[in-house]
Amino acid sequence: DTSALLSFDHHHHHHSSSYLIHNIIMTGKCCAVPNQLGELDLRCQNLTYIGVKRILATLSLRGYTNIQKVDLSGNENIGDIGAVCLHLIPPTVSEVDMSYCNIGAVGLRHICDFMKSNTNITTLSLAGNRFDEKCATFLGEMLRENSILQVLRAYQYGDGEKRFKYYYNSSFWFEGVVEGLMHNHTLRVLEMVHNTHDMDKVALDAFNHVLCNGGGSAIERLCIG
């Protein structure tokens, strides 16, 4: 059953996930290759940065050119250092999911710096990570310079989650993103669902200003409450 090849046996926890996946790939038996739709599904495999790096490097050597989506969501061991994985993703990829990867401000800054000049990724999912107030500035700067991104999901853990809950001021957070959104003309979907407390009037007014007076804003779907 190839669908189970990447479901690691907890009785063999003394092996690292990167070691296991690397060996699986090298034996040619693994499903850590893109499916017929060009999707590379690596969700919830306890991957570290090293494991992801080896997978992507091996796929590159094997000449896979049909990869369009890379899903790394749910790999909490990726963390901030794993944010550099974006640099290893093939140029054919247009959708990346790094939700619930335990990425904080340091990792997000790397991601945003990379995305400023990226011309391939149109959908980026970063939901459920450890974003605090300063992350809004990074996202805003990225949106100001990026000219290809169409869908951005960047909300954090909600009240129902036990880990990585950050309570930040919603006005500061949303206004920081608005600064970049005012200069962005490609983003169609922005999901920044904020479950910590209700959206306040200052933040809501800031977004309304962009949508009404943005001078070319492409936003079609906005989830910020």
Side-chain angles (χ1 to χ4, degrees):
D1 181 3
T2 57
S3 65
L5 282 174
L6 289 183
S7 297
F8 303 121
D9 186 348
H10 293 293
H11 295 295
H12 297 87
H13 61 276
H14 56 282
H15 291 294
S16 71
S17 61
S18 59
Y19 174 83
L20 286 171
I21 285 191
H22 181 58
N23 282 333
I24 290 173
I25 286 178
M26 296 310 290
T27 60
K29 298 179 181 179
C30 106
C31 61
V33 295
N35 60 23
Q36 292 180 344
L37 298 177
E39 300 172 340
L40 181 62
D41 187 354
L42 299 171
R43 290 173 294 173
C44 303
Q45 298 301 331
N46 198 31
L47 286 170
T48 63
Y49 163 68
I50 295 175
V52 175
K53 181 179 180 181
R54 286 176 173 174
I55 289 173
L56 295 177
T58 301
L59 291 175
S60 177
L61 289 174
R62 288 194 167 192
Y64 286 98
T65 59
N66 67 324
I67 307 176
Q68 299 178 31
K69 177 181 178 179
V70 174
D71 190 343
L72 296 168
S73 61
N75 290 293
E76 294 183 355
N77 290 327
I78 286 180
D80 285 335
I81 190 173
V84 299
C85 288
L86 277 182
H87 293 272
L88 305 173
I89 289 175
T92 57
V93 172
S94 61
E95 181 173 354
V96 176
D97 193 338
M98 295 186 75
S99 302
Y100 296 89
C101 285
N102 190 22
I103 297 171
V106 173
L108 182 64
R109 184 164 192 171
H110 284 296
I111 290 173
C112 288
D113 285 345
F114 171 77
M115 288 297 297
K116 286 178 181 179
S117 58
N118 180 267
T119 58
N120 305 303
I121 298 173
T122 59
T123 299
L124 180 62
S125 297
L126 300 169
N129 286 297
R130 299 180 291 106
F131 299 156
D132 56 20
E133 290 184 359
K134 54 182 169 288
C135 291
T137 301
F138 303 151
L139 288 170
E141 291 173 352
M142 181 269 287
L143 289 174
R144 177 188 290 265
E145 298 186 35
N146 181 278
S147 60
I148 192 70
L149 192 64
Q150 297 181 29
V151 179
L152 175 62
R153 301 180 180 96
Y155 48 91
Q156 63 164 19
Y157 281 93
D159 283 333
E161 302 285 351
K162 294 181 180 179
R163 294 168 295 178
F164 310 135
K165 288 198 299 184
Y166 277 66
Y167 295 88
Y168 45 71
N169 180 276
S170 61
S171 295
F172 185 92
W173 171 260
F174 290 109
E175 287 179 345
V177 176
V178 164
E179 287 296 318
L181 194 59
M182 291 177 66
H183 301 275
N184 185 283
H185 307 296
T186 60
L187 195 69
R188 297 184 298 101
V189 177
L190 177 60
E191 295 182 2
M192 301 185 68
V193 181
H194 192 277
N195 297 321
T196 304
H197 46 73
D198 293 335
M199 184 78 171
D200 61 35
K201 187 177 184 302
V202 175
L204 186 58
D205 287 346
F207 267 99
N208 284 336
H209 176 75
V210 171
L211 295 179
C212 294
N213 307 295
S217 174
I219 289 291
E220 298 173 1
R221 181 166 180 254
L222 185 63
C223 299
I224 54 175

